[in-house]
Amino acid sequence: MPNKIKKLAVLTSGGDSPGMNAAIRSVVRTCAYHEIQCIGVYRGYEGLIEGDFKPMGARSVRGIINKGGTILKSARSKEFRTPEGRQKAYQNLVDHEVDGLVVIGGDGSFTGALIFNQEFGFPVMGIPGTIDNDIFGTSHTLGFDTALNTVVDAIDKIRDTASSHNRLFFIEVMGRDVGHIALNTGIAGGAEEILIPEEDLGLDRLVDSLNKSRKSGKTSSIVIVAEGDKIGKNIFELKEFVDENMEGYDVRVSVLGHMQRGGSPSCFDRVLASRMGVKAVETLLEGKTNYMVGLLANKIELTHLDKAIKGKTKINLELLRVSDIMST
């Protein structure tokens, strides 16, 4: 394996997700395994510009595999979007004799890494960390599985009170542009209806579905709504519509919000993060750059950053059909 690289840096950028710490751990320990140095960059690209670096060794990442969030912190950086900001970041890496950069984040973070490489020829590698699972080139992003488990647990608890009081609950989950969380948790949580951005089901279908559920003998209902669903302006507008147009429903709204980002990562996310970190470091050591590591058919594969950024994930149509059948 070619090894011109003697020192790597790793940062986390964008929204945090469970599994980021496990990925940091994997990157650091893979560097230690190959006897190269590793530097942690605090606060993402902002820290890259300010030179907020700290050397990291194998023992510095002990006890973090089970922790949510990111020990390296994360921040949005307006300055990195400017040529002057990226120049400062590049100079800091040169001054610290860093030979390559691992970026853990989403498509915005990858866009910054790609531009950075194009301007300075600096080797970069991406690890997808976002609970939305909206990155092309991987079946699972870090944090997606944990977020699903968090949401399902919340749905189960809400169903207890819905059943006790014969209520209809609209539960909003994250998913501004994609409905992966809503679709999967809706099926797992036994939702009567699932509203996602990819499928404009319309108010008529929602009303028909709720009426069908009531006629079948159901005394309570759960409707999962992705935050990017286009039926109403927001979930509270859906509640108002049902209140005004359907009698006999005691409607409640629950917005799960940022609780979906937190918590200890699942076993799946810990293993995935470990595999991705190893692949990211070893790919850089092989002299490759501008790739994202992803999971495809249970194998860790490479996708060019440009494709990962521009590509669109697709909703699983089989799950839509399963959802229709299960809500009978």
Side-chain angles (χ1 to χ4, degrees), residues 148 151-159 171 181-192 194 221-224 326:
L148 295 183
V151 172
V152 168
D153 183 60
I155 293 172
D156 290 345
K157 289 178 170 62
I158 291 171
R159 185 175 287 283
I171 303 175
I181 292 177
L183 185 53
N184 283 272
T185 60
I187 292 173
E192 279 65 46
I194 304 169
S221 293
I222 298 287
V223 176
I224 304 300
M326 291 300 101

Side-chain angles (χ1 to χ4, degrees), residues 9-11 39-53 77 80 85-93 96 98 101 103 116 122:
V10 57
L11 63 80
I39 283 182
V41 181
Y42 285 81
R43 296 177 296 110
Y45 290 124
E46 195 70 10
L48 205 61
I49 292 171
E50 296 177 6
D52 194 358
F53 298 171
S77 178
F80 193 77
R86 293 190 293 273
Q87 178 64 49
K88 290 180 184 178
Y90 174 70
Q91 192 59 51
N92 281 330
L93 289 170
H96 285 81
V98 177
L101 177 66
V103 175
F116 190 69
F122 197 85

Side-chain angles (χ1 to χ4, degrees), residues 98-137:
V98 177
D99 305 307
L101 177 66
V102 177
V103 175
I104 306 170
D107 56 359
S109 304
F110 293 164
T111 299
L114 185 61
I115 293 173
F116 190 69
N117 172 268
Q118 291 170 344
E119 288 182 341
F120 303 104
F122 197 85
V124 295
M125 191 65 52
I127 295 177
T130 168
I131 67 168
D132 288 337
N133 206 41
D134 58 350
I135 304 293
F136 181 81

Side-chain angles (χ1 to χ4, degrees), residues 192-212:
E192 279 65 46
E193 194 60 85
I194 304 169
L195 307 181
I196 57 177
E198 294 89 342
E199 296 286 323
D200 186 4
L201 301 181
L203 288 171
D204 290 340
R205 166 162 171 161
L206 177 61
V207 170
D208 289 343
S209 177
L210 293 175
N211 283 331
K212 181 180 177 182

Side-chain angles (χ1 to χ4, degrees), residues 139-323:
S139 62
H140 290 74
T141 55
L142 293 183
F144 177 56
D145 184 72
T146 304
L148 295 183
N149 292 331
T150 299
V151 172
V152 168
D153 183 60
I155 293 172
D156 290 345
K157 289 178 170 62
I158 291 171
R159 185 175 287 283
D160 289 342
T161 192
S163 300
S164 298
H165 296 276
N166 295 340
R167 284 174 175 161
L168 162 63
F169 267 89
F170 286 109
I171 303 175
E172 183 184 273
V173 301
M174 285 186 169
R176 183 180 58 195
D177 301 310
V178 295
H180 298 298
I181 292 177
L183 185 53
N184 283 272
T185 60
I187 292 173
E192 279 65 46
E193 194 60 85
I194 304 169
L195 307 181
I196 57 177
E198 294 89 342
E199 296 286 323
D200 186 4
L201 301 181
L203 288 171
D204 290 340
R205 166 162 171 161
L206 177 61
V207 170
D208 289 343
S209 177
L210 293 175
N211 283 331
K212 181 180 177 182
S213 295
R214 186 160 53 183
K215 289 178 181 178
S216 70
K218 293 182 180 180
T219 58
S220 64
S221 293
I222 298 287
V223 176
I224 304 300
V225 185
E227 62 181 319
D229 176 67
K230 304 300 190 297
I231 289 182
K233 292 181 181 178
N234 55 58
I235 195 171
F236 297 99
E237 186 177 87
L238 290 177
K239 176 188 181 301
E240 292 176 3
F241 177 84
V242 173
D243 284 337
E244 294 172 0
N245 294 276
M246 301 183 70
E247 296 181 359
Y249 274 109
D250 183 11
V251 187
R252 295 289 188 273
V253 168
S254 182
V255 179
L256 300 187
H258 285 80
M259 69 174 289
Q260 296 163 85
R261 289 193 185 278
S264 180
S266 65
C267 175
F268 182 91
D269 275 327
R270 297 183 199 190
V271 174
L272 181 61
S274 300
R275 296 173 70 187
M276 286 181 167
V278 170
K279 185 68 172 180
V281 171
E282 293 188 342
T283 300
L284 282 170
L285 293 181
E286 290 169 359
K288 297 178 182 177
T289 184
N290 287 3
Y291 285 100
M292 179 198 79
V293 297
L295 184 69
L296 295 172
N298 202 33
K299 293 183 178 181
I300 301 298
E301 305 284 0
L302 299 175
T303 298
H304 196 276
L305 281 179
D306 189 52
K307 290 184 178 180
I309 295 165
K310 295 179 180 179
K312 300 294 184 182
T313 61
K314 295 182 179 179
I315 207 72
N316 189 332
L317 296 179
E318 179 194 3
L319 291 183
L320 284 176
R321 183 168 179 272
V322 169
S323 173

